[in-house]
Amino acid sequence: MGKGDTSRQKILMEAFRLFATMPYDRVSFSVMEKEIGISRGSMVYYFKNKEGLFSEVVRTFVYGASSLKAVPDAYKLSLCSFYTYFIETLKREQEQLFAMGIVNINEALMRIENSALTYIPNFKEQTALWYAEELQIWKSVIEKATATGEIRNGLDASTLSYLYEDAYLGRAFHGVFTKSGYDIDRLKQTYDQLYALLK
């Protein structure tokens, strides 16, 4: 990673931390300069303006992180391998953010999403598309699991995709109101139990 990439990544990570702990309108360039330790000019160079920086924070940490799209194709050949890899990704992400001082990832994301509803045009529509894409990934993996005999025939892949995705979203929402965010082990237990019922 070059120096420019390192600076851009540092700005992005620190901006995420700020937007996760403060309302959007309180995160000014002067606050960012003080907290990040990088000049306004550098931030403008990489992100043009505050709106551009916030949009990139949303793209990276809301749509990009905790995404099923990040699961490599090799793990999509088995439903069990797929959700196990996804769970491990969630654990790593939670640990990384904890090391940055973000104790509750779900509360942090909820704050950012709340600001995004106000300050990013079409955020609802973008999120609906993200949700549809996530469901399609689950559906595809479930259909493969049925075709290979990993799970039994006669199951509705669309309904099951909702069950798996909504279990994740339900845990994430519940995590907002806990001390340290969602219980990923509980999510794994839910996925394992659901998987056992499909065998």
Side-chain angles (χ1 to χ4, degrees):
M1 186 180 286
K3 185 179 177 184
D5 291 334
T6 303
S7 295
R8 185 182 190 281
Q9 191 62 23
K10 179 183 178 185
I11 293 167
L12 195 56
M13 293 294 282
E14 290 298 319
F16 168 76
R17 187 177 59 77
L18 291 173
F19 287 121
T21 54
M22 293 185 205
Y24 176 88
D25 55 358
R26 287 186 37 212
V27 183
S28 64
F29 269 119
S30 6
V31 167
M32 287 190 275
E33 280 180 313
K34 181 180 175 188
E35 294 292 324
I36 298 174
I38 293 179
S39 72
R40 178 178 181 154
S42 292
M43 288 184 267
V44 169
Y45 174 78
Y46 291 112
F47 300 101
K48 295 189 180 174
N49 51 37
K50 177 180 160 180
E51 293 79 12
L53 176 54
F54 182 62
S55 292
E56 187 61 22
V57 164
V58 170
R59 191 187 70 74
T60 302
F61 294 98
V62 175
Y63 297 130
S66 304
S67 176
L68 298 175
K69 291 179 188 175
V71 178
D73 287 342
Y75 291 89
K76 294 178 181 174
L77 301 176
S78 156
L79 176 58
C80 185
S81 296
F82 177 71
Y83 75 69
T84 299
Y85 188 96
F86 179 55
I87 291 288
E88 291 305 315
T89 300
L90 296 179
K91 284 183 180 177
R92 282 192 302 274
E93 179 186 54
Q94 194 174 43
E95 288 163 5
Q96 288 166 354
L97 293 182
F98 187 81
M100 282 176 55
I102 305 287
V103 175
N104 186 327
I105 182 176
N106 307 110
E107 184 181 357
L109 290 172
M110 181 68 82
R111 279 199 179 102
I112 289 172
E113 289 160 6
N114 188 45
S115 291
L117 280 167
T118 304
Y119 296 102
I120 294 184
N122 304 318
F123 178 69
K124 281 186 181 181
E125 293 80 3
Q126 290 171 9
T127 302
L129 287 174
W130 172 86
Y131 183 65
E133 289 170 357
E134 296 270 303
L135 288 174
Q136 186 53 49
I137 293 170
W138 277 115
K139 185 180 177 188
S140 172
V141 170
I142 290 163
E143 287 171 342
K144 282 180 190 147
T146 303
T148 62
E150 181 186 2
I151 59 175
R152 68 180 189 273
N153 284 317
L155 301 167
D156 183 66
S158 292
T159 300
L160 291 175
S161 67
Y162 280 105
L163 286 173
Y164 273 101
E165 181 67 13
D166 291 351
Y168 161 67
L169 293 174
R171 282 282 109 213
F173 181 74
H174 180 264
V176 172
F177 307 100
T178 66
K179 184 178 178 182
S180 55
Y182 51 16
D183 184 340
I184 297 174
D185 290 331
R186 174 87 44 101
L187 178 61
K188 173 76 161 58
Q189 289 167 2
T190 301
Y191 281 176
D192 285 341
Q193 186 61 45
L194 182 53
Y195 181 71
L197 294 170
L198 304 179
K199 298 286 281 177

